[in-house]
Each structure stands twice: as structure tokens, then as C-alpha cells.
Amino acid sequence: MDLYAPTISPLNTSKQLQTASDVTSTPEVADGGASDTTVMYWGCWEPPATNPQATPFQAVRIQQDQICNGEAWCWYSVTDKIGNTSYSDVAKPQIINTGQYLDKPEVTPANTEDRSAGMRVVTSLKNNFNTDLSLRDSDIVTAVWWIYDTGSTNGRRYASPRTLAHPLTSGVFTFQSLTPAPAESQYAIVSFEVERLQHSSTTAPDRYQKFSSDVARIDGSNWYTPTPGKLPAPRFDVTNNVIDLDRISGDISASIPKTDLITAASQVTLIGLGFDQGGNLVPGSDWSQSATVPFTPYPYNVPRAKVAVVPNGGDYVISYSVDNVFSPTSAAEVQQTTPPSPTVKLGSLWGWGDAEYGTLG
């Protein structure tokens, strides 16, 4: 017989479970036989709940220590007195805001002097609802992080999944070098998920549960040790490192970070160049300007007209020099729906710098 998915209660109007207390799953069986046995399956927990009584629509209580923010698949089987078993459809409630979750990850820079080394993220099944969790082989652990510019709420999502080849009874799994890491002018919100899927070898449905963690916030400004004697790279004051000319009406804001290597007596020159997607220098994009920098951080503007000649999807790159010593470079992608006037390509430009301590000139 065809069986409807169980009814999970209580759910909100979006069919999400928002509590871990007094949660029930009700089999949708109105005509169970006197000898029928109903078995309710929640996530991947063992043993499942069994109702030997044949009372129709008998609710099964889901144990509180089996509920975690994330998702759980729930279904039931009904076996009659001669051993015929039927399986229900699957309910797949999302589980949010229950107050039960995995502890937030421990996040540290892989190298405090090199952002490109990424983040070290330590995940654990330590939690506030069940002390018996451990990582099984084939579990999928996924680190999830959003990077935001400081002061912005528009971030970019990144994720890195790992499938375990063997069980980890400690419940601890470490991601060694996740990239990108937040820059000095950015922050990151980091969490992780553990997904557990048991494929069925019969006509029974698969079993699945996702456990979600609390979140950790990381401020890039607190992470990195300035390299002695090296000028810091300038930075664009734009969201997600994108210069959106359809949204920015004037010149492009940028700044030189705080450094002790610039004084009021320093001869400072601000520099900019634009490149198309092929790495070709865009004619008319080159810009330089002498500046008196009485203090750092020092805000300045890159002329919009110089950036606007860069085709959509290209990059604008900035640097500066202090007494003829050049800083590292910083690049931002240029986006615009109105293409610039056609220009003659000058050829590819290679080896002019790098993301660590490159130079323009």
C-alpha cells in the first residue's frame, strides 16, 4: 500500500522545525491491522522507534538529543502479520533556531604573515545536546565561510566539502589551508556542516541527517602581522573587491593602510593601471599622482575616467611608491553594462608584479 509521509509537529508556516522539545512524528495510517507493526525512522539514529500497537495516527516522540539544527529525513515502515512491509514517503524538515547545534569551529590563520596560506579550521562534533556523536566513514564535513568587506553586509559564500574515508571517534576534523582567507579590511563568518547519508539496499528509503554548527566571526585586521620593512598593499574601498561602475557614481575610493614607513616628508606617488580579461594593458587607463600623506591610513580616489576605459570583467590594479620604493599591488574587478570605447590592445603584460610584493613601473 502507498503510505503518505509522516506529519512532523510542530512546524512553522515554512515547514521548518524550530524546537527540540516535544517533537512528534505521526504515521499517516488510518487502517492499520491489529497485528501491524509501525517503525519510525528519524535521520540515521539507531534504534528507530517502534509502535507495536495498531492505533491509527499514533504519534511517535522524537528524542530531544537526536535533534540538531540542520535537516533530518523521516519516514516509517508498516509490517503486517505475515511479514509484508510497506514504506512511506519521506518528510524532510529543515531544522533551525532550536538552540541545539555543533560547537563553532576554531579558526586561525594558516600563516600570520601570509594571507595566501589561507585558514586553518578545526571542526568538532562537540555539542550541547548529545555526548555520543562521532564521525563515521563516508560522513561529509563541509566548511562554509562568508567573506565581507568591513562595514558591509553583502558577502560572498565559499564552501569546502570533505568525505571521510574512515571513522573518527574523536569527532574532530581539521581543514588545513582553506582559501581565500579574509584580508585585513575584511571579516569572515565561518561554520560547518556534517552530512550523514545511509543508502538503502532495499526498497526502503535512504536515511539522512545534516548537523549544522554555530558560527565563528573572524576579523582580518586582527590576524596578520605586518612584515617589517615592507609597505602594505593599498586597497579599494569597494564591496567584494568589485568596482561596479553602474552603482558607483563618482571616483573610486581607495586607501593606503596604516604603516610607519610613510612620514610627512615622504615622496609618495599613487599609481593605477587597467587590464582586460586577457591580461592586456588597456590604453588610457594608466594613472599616477603625487600625494602628500601626513598620516596613515590615507584615503584617496582613483579617477573614474581611468577605470571606466577597462572592459567589463577586466581588472584595475593600484599601487604606490614611497621614495621610489614600490608597494605590493591590489586589483579589483571592473563591472559595467555600458562598454567603453574600443581601444587598441598593447599586448599582454607579464611579470610586472605579484600579489605579495609586486611593483608597478
Side-chain angles (χ1 to χ4, degrees), residues 71-288:
E71 183 179 343
W73 291 1
C74 184
W75 51 273
Y76 59 94
S77 66
V78 177
T79 303
D80 64 22
K81 63 181 179 180
I82 62 174
N84 296 317
T85 300
S86 299
Y87 301 98
S88 75
D89 290 336
V90 182
K92 301 179 180 180
Q94 289 187 329
I95 307 171
I96 63 172
N97 303 330
T98 64
Q100 297 193 174
Y101 42 75
L102 306 179
D103 282 6
K104 63 185 178 182
E106 296 179 6
V107 187
T108 56
N111 185 330
T112 58
E113 296 182 358
D114 182 7
R115 174 180 176 251
S116 65
M119 303 179 293
R120 183 174 186 266
V121 177
V122 180
T123 68
S124 171
L125 287 187
K126 183 179 179 182
N127 61 78
N128 61 358
F129 63 95
N130 190 308
T131 59
D132 294 329
L133 286 180
S134 62
L135 288 169
R136 305 177 186 175
D137 60 327
S138 77
D139 280 355
I140 301 173
V141 183
T142 302
V144 179
W145 68 106
W146 291 77
I147 292 182
Y148 302 81
D149 293 328
T150 299
S152 171
T153 57
N154 295 317
R156 182 173 181 180
R157 184 183 186 274
Y158 301 88
S160 179
R162 298 286 192 276
T163 301
L164 301 187
H166 54 80
L168 295 173
T169 56
S170 66
V172 176
F173 182 82
T174 301
F175 297 83
Q176 292 292 353
S177 298
L178 293 180
T179 57
E184 184 183 5
S185 61
Q186 296 176 320
Y187 68 94
I189 302 297
V190 187
S191 62
F192 70 97
E193 302 168 345
V194 176
E195 293 178 277
R196 181 166 295 166
L197 175 62
Q198 294 179 357
H199 290 289
S200 173
S201 59
T202 68
T203 56
D206 293 337
R207 302 178 67 181
Y208 172 86
Q209 188 160 5
K210 178 170 69 178
F211 304 85
S212 298
S213 79
D214 195 5
V215 300
R217 171 172 171 145
I218 306 302
D219 289 293
S221 59
N222 298 328
W223 261 24
Y224 305 107
T225 303
T227 304
K230 295 291 185 179
L231 293 168
R235 57 179 178 240
F236 286 104
D237 299 327
V238 295
T239 300
N240 297 330
N241 221 36
V242 171
I243 302 172
D244 188 343
L245 293 177
D246 296 327
R247 294 178 177 271
I248 300 173
S249 58
D251 293 338
I252 314 305
S253 298
S255 62
I256 297 173
K258 183 174 179 58
T259 175
D260 294 331
L261 299 178
I262 299 178
T263 68
S266 299
Q267 298 294 315
V268 178
T269 301
L270 308 174
I271 305 166
L273 289 172
F275 299 88
D276 64 19
Q277 287 183 307
N280 303 299
L281 178 64
V282 177
S285 67
D286 56 299
W287 167 74
S288 65

Side-chain angles (χ1 to χ4, degrees), residues 298-358:
Y298 175 73
Y300 66 94
N301 291 321
V302 179
R304 179 186 180 88
K306 295 295 183 179
V307 179
V309 298
V310 177
N312 184 57
D315 294 303
Y316 202 85
V317 181
I318 54 175
S319 179
Y320 63 95
S321 67
V322 180
D323 300 326
N324 293 319
V325 176
F326 288 87
S327 78
T329 60
S330 290
E333 180 183 345
V334 177
Q335 292 184 358
Q336 56 178 326
T337 55
T338 303
S341 300
T343 57
V344 178
K345 292 185 177 181
L346 298 184
S348 297
L349 194 63
W350 300 99
W352 53 272
D354 60 53
E356 181 68 14
Y357 299 116

